[in-house]
Amino acid sequence: MRPGAGRRNAGSGWRRPARYLGALLASALLLTGCAQSVDPIERLGKKAAEGVRPHGAAPDQTYRRWGLTEPLARPPQPAAHALALTPQTGGRTLPRVLDHVPTHDRVVFLTYDDGADQDPRFVDMVRELRLPVSMFLTDSVAAPAYGHFARLHRLGAGIQNHTLDHRALAGLPYAGQRAEICGQQDRLRSRLGLTARLFRPPYGAYDHTTLRAAAGCGISAVVLWRAAMTPTDLVYTHGEHHLRPGDIILIGPDETTGPSLRERTARVLRRVQQRGLTVGRLEDYL
């Protein structure tokens, strides 16, 4: 036995090494939860902590894959009462014509025409970014690939009317315009099982007869655009030359060998983010 090993300290029990007492205290703190206030990552210092990821899912970096430098903000919940599609002239039940949605929400709307672009990677882009889009389809262009647009529709994309054969409607007789619009209504119902409420006339050209024919085919709004994405940049039909809340944007088919639909969409999204906006679903506001 070591000298003094059996001696007691009067009134205090056996002597214990300081390390042993420290361990007991730490155990007690852990049991009571007090020790949890010290974050182990904080002990590493700022620089070391930056390289440590907490347990669980890593931050979603999907947006970088699509050419964005930051995530696309989720749109706000639209007002309970969407824009009233009242007649433009008292007593006439004609669709409203608009290229801009009057809203205080900081959203714009992405629209696509014809259906010529059928890139399956665009479907991936819409799914991964949860991107609200509206497709205005022409049967003579989209018909070979309605399955592609059915996949987009299952992801929440709006599918709308852009006529059967992409004829310029202005100046045509009522019967001809009605055949183009109603014919595409019938085709969308038979191929995709849906009824379009919105209509975009080819080339944006329409007249009073177009509105009458569209109304007779169950259309509630004729949708034009205030901004359009060209192979190089956004162009504006009127007003300020920058995006504003409520703007309807056309990302039309590219008939050149320019940027892909995905790249043109990414360019628009970067401009949208630069303006502090995000993308809303057009059908939620009309």
Side-chain angles (χ1 to χ4, degrees):
M1 179 179 293
R2 297 192 309 275
R7 289 182 301 202
R8 289 178 178 272
N9 186 25
S12 61
W14 298 99
R15 291 181 180 275
R16 300 294 187 189
R19 286 182 303 173
Y20 184 82
L21 292 174
L24 284 176
L25 179 59
S27 299
L29 288 171
L30 285 170
L31 288 172
T32 60
C34 296
Q36 295 177 0
S37 62
V38 180
D39 188 339
I41 292 181
E42 290 180 0
R43 298 196 198 105
L44 296 174
K46 182 178 180 181
K47 290 186 177 180
E50 287 174 352
V52 176
R53 286 184 178 177
H55 293 295
D60 185 1
Q61 300 289 315
T62 303
Y63 59 91
R64 296 188 183 278
R65 184 183 312 161
W66 304 109
L68 304 183
T69 57
E70 59 182 305
L72 186 66
R74 299 270 69 82
Q77 187 70 26
H81 299 289
L83 177 67
L85 299 175
T86 54
Q88 291 184 297
T89 305
R92 295 181 181 175
T93 55
L94 298 179
R96 183 187 294 270
V97 180
L98 68 165
D99 61 15
H100 176 94
V101 176
T103 178
H104 295 295
D105 293 344
R106 295 194 62 78
V107 296
V108 295
F109 308 99
L110 302 188
T111 65
Y112 300 78
D113 280 3
D114 302 350
D117 287 291
Q118 298 157 11
D119 180 1
R121 290 285 287 147
F122 181 70
V123 180
D124 297 335
M125 184 182 199
V126 169
R127 181 181 63 253
E128 293 183 10
L129 293 179
R130 298 168 60 189
L131 186 63
V133 297
S134 298
M135 320 297 293
F136 289 82
L137 300 184
T138 294
D139 183 72
S140 61
V141 178
Y146 272 120
H148 170 81
F149 299 103
R151 288 190 289 275
L152 284 169
H153 185 57
R154 287 193 293 270
L155 293 173
I159 304 295
Q160 306 298 343
N161 190 323
H162 196 45
T163 72
L164 275 175
D165 296 308
H166 209 270
R167 298 176 64 191
L169 297 182
L172 292 180
Y174 177 83
Q177 296 204 38
R178 182 182 173 88
E180 282 286 332
I181 301 170
C182 289
Q184 180 63 348
Q185 290 290 80
D186 294 340
R187 200 60 53 87
L188 292 175
R189 273 191 292 267
S190 65
R191 297 298 300 272
L192 296 174
L194 56 86
T195 300
R197 295 185 298 105
L198 310 180
F199 170 67
R200 173 168 286 162
Y203 317 105
Y206 71 96
D207 57 18
H208 184 76
T209 302
T210 310
L211 302 183
R212 289 175 51 229
C217 298
I219 296 296
S220 57
V222 172
V223 178
L224 305 179
W225 60 91
R226 198 186 81 84
M229 186 65 192
T230 70
T232 56
D233 203 355
L234 279 173
V235 296
Y236 299 86
T237 59
H238 62 87
E240 299 167 297
H241 283 208
H242 60 75
L243 292 174
R244 306 176 304 185
D247 276 348
I248 298 172
I249 304 172
L250 166 63
I251 305 178
D254 184 13
E255 299 177 358
T256 71
T257 57
S260 68
L261 184 66
R262 285 173 280 127
E263 175 55 29
R264 281 178 282 137
T265 299
R267 289 182 183 183
V268 171
L269 292 178
R270 290 193 290 268
R271 297 291 291 274
V272 168
Q273 291 179 317
Q274 289 167 6
R275 293 290 299 169
L277 302 166
T278 191
V279 181
R281 186 173 182 270
L282 180 64
E283 288 78 1
D284 290 342
Y285 286 79
L286 297 183

